[in-house]
């Protein structure tokens, strides 16, 4: 059967990964969480001391990019395709608010994007892939057959993320999560290289008040129509 590429973009915590995983499962496609890759590079920079009180030492990070090796591997305990950084499973630390607070300036670096976009394009070269991020429909796979642009109010998104972090046992306040969501929205959509924007031809879905089942059915019917065409 014909395989397609599904590109999902949108602001932080719009539920991109939830729908992406559901679609991949229904269609038997692979799911790639491109945000995990930017988070892993950020975690690397933090561990190396390239991010501190002075901000981000971009030159040092760019100089060390060839020392970063990334791959996804199934983690039977977490039941996800976990992000591995230089052989270490970093799935838990990359999801913390601490990493979320540093990731956007790292993701704004053209050199970082160049490296990760090349890897993402390779992962999706055979099609049959669902990838979510900020520039998937605009830069990574501009020819994707199905492009989605998810939105929801900042308040809805911050509540979702706050609940996720609290459920994982992180000590965070709703106010700091909301601030982080808003700051990332701003940086991600105003950066010079590949800013977040709705791709041409993307279907926009505001899921503030939409149930997961309704959203999946709607998108799945688009995908199936494209596969059959
Ligand atoms: O899960 P959440 O929506 O909070 O974010 P994510 O998808 O894990 O992405 C984390 C950060 O990585 C974003 O805020 C962007 O700065 C960056 N990112 C990007 O620039 N391009 C992508 N394709 C994916 C993520």
């Amino acid at each position: 059967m014909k395989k397609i590429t599904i590109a999902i973009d949108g602001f932080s915590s719009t539920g991109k990964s939830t729908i992406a995983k559901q679609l991949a499962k229904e269609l038997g496609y692979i799911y790639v969480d491109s945000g995990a890759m930017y988070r892993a590079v950020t975690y690397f920079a933090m561990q190396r001391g390239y991010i501190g009180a002075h901000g981000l030492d971009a030159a040092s990070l760019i100089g060390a990019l060839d020392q970063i090796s990334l791959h996804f591997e199934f983690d039977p305990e977490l039941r996800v395709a976990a992000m591995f950084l230089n052989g270490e499973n970093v799935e838990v630390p990359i999801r913390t608010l601490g990493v979320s607070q540093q990731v956007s300036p790292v993701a704004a670096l053209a050199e970082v994007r160049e490296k990760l976009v090349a890897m993402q394009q390779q992962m999706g070269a055979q099609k049959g892939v669902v990838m979510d991020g900020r520039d998937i429909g605009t830069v990574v796979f501009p020819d994707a057959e199905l492009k989605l642009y998810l939105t929801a109010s900042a308040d809805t998104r911050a509540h979702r993320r706050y609940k996720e972090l609290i459920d994982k046992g992180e000590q965070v306040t709703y106010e700091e999560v909301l601030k982080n969501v808003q700051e990332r929205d701003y940086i991600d959509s105003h950066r010079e290289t590949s800013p977040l924007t709705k791709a041409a031809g993307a279907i926009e879905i505001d899921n503030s008040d939409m149930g997961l089942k309704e959203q999946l059915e709607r998108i799945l019917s688009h995908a199936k129509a494209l596969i059959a065409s």
Side-chain angles (χ1 to χ4, degrees):
M1 210 195 300
K2 176 175 143 193
K3 282 186 174 174
I4 64 168
T5 299
I6 304 180
I8 308 180
D9 291 303
F11 284 123
S12 162
S13 318
T14 37
K16 300 182 297 293
S17 69
T18 304
I19 186 68
K21 281 181 207 157
Q22 288 174 330
L23 286 171
K25 193 168 170 219
E26 290 283 338
L27 299 169
Y29 283 13
I30 60 163
Y31 162 57
V32 180
D33 173 359
S34 71
M37 300 167 73
Y38 291 94
R39 288 173 176 275
V41 172
T42 304
Y43 184 61
F44 171 88
M46 291 167 82
Q47 283 191 313
R48 285 286 185 99
Y50 300 154
I51 297 175
H54 55 283
L56 167 65
D57 176 356
S60 294
L61 174 59
I62 291 166
L65 279 180
D66 60 0
Q67 294 164 38
I68 298 178
S69 150
L70 301 174
H71 76 274
F72 288 99
E73 195 177 307
F74 187 71
D75 180 330
E77 211 170 301
L78 297 173
R79 302 205 56 77
V80 294
M83 184 80 255
F84 278 68
L85 164 67
N86 293 335
E88 184 197 345
N89 185 336
V90 293
E91 188 57 33
V92 172
I94 64 167
R95 307 291 170 186
T96 57
L97 183 61
V99 169
S100 296
Q101 285 166 338
Q102 306 296 340
V103 65
S104 287
V106 170
L109 298 174
E111 292 83 353
V112 170
R113 305 203 69 80
E114 201 183 315
K115 177 181 168 99
L116 300 192
V117 167
M119 287 180 68
Q120 291 152 7
Q121 287 174 333
Q122 209 177 356
M123 289 185 229
Q126 310 299 319
K127 294 195 178 251
V129 65
V130 187
M131 197 176 293
D132 76 328
R134 302 292 185 285
D135 61 341
I136 311 304
T138 51
V139 175
V140 181
F141 299 121
D143 298 330
E145 289 83 353
L146 179 56
K147 296 181 188 181
L148 304 170
Y149 186 75
L150 300 192
T151 64
S153 71
D155 187 50
T156 303
R157 294 186 285 118
H159 270 111
R160 286 178 186 157
R161 184 51 49 95
Y162 172 69
K163 189 175 177 303
E164 268 172 32
L165 291 169
I166 292 292
D167 287 350
K168 284 184 193 166
E170 239 192 286
Q171 305 273 323
V172 293
T173 64
Y174 170 74
E175 287 69 30
E176 54 186 354
V177 173
L178 176 65
K179 184 167 174 266
N180 176 249
V181 161
Q182 289 169 330
E183 275 175 7
R184 282 198 288 139
D185 285 359
Y186 185 84
I187 302 174
D188 294 345
S189 53
H190 287 84
R191 67 185 177 215
E192 217 169 290
T193 312
S194 319
L196 168 64
T197 172
K198 185 178 159 186
I203 301 170
E204 183 167 342
I205 297 174
D206 183 329
N207 61 19
S208 303
D209 301 309
M210 198 184 285
L212 286 180
K213 197 161 168 262
E214 182 190 347
Q215 179 178 253
L216 175 64
E217 276 164 12
R218 235 177 103 179
I219 300 172
L220 204 53
S221 71
H222 281 292
K224 286 183 175 162
L226 287 162
I227 291 166
S229 72

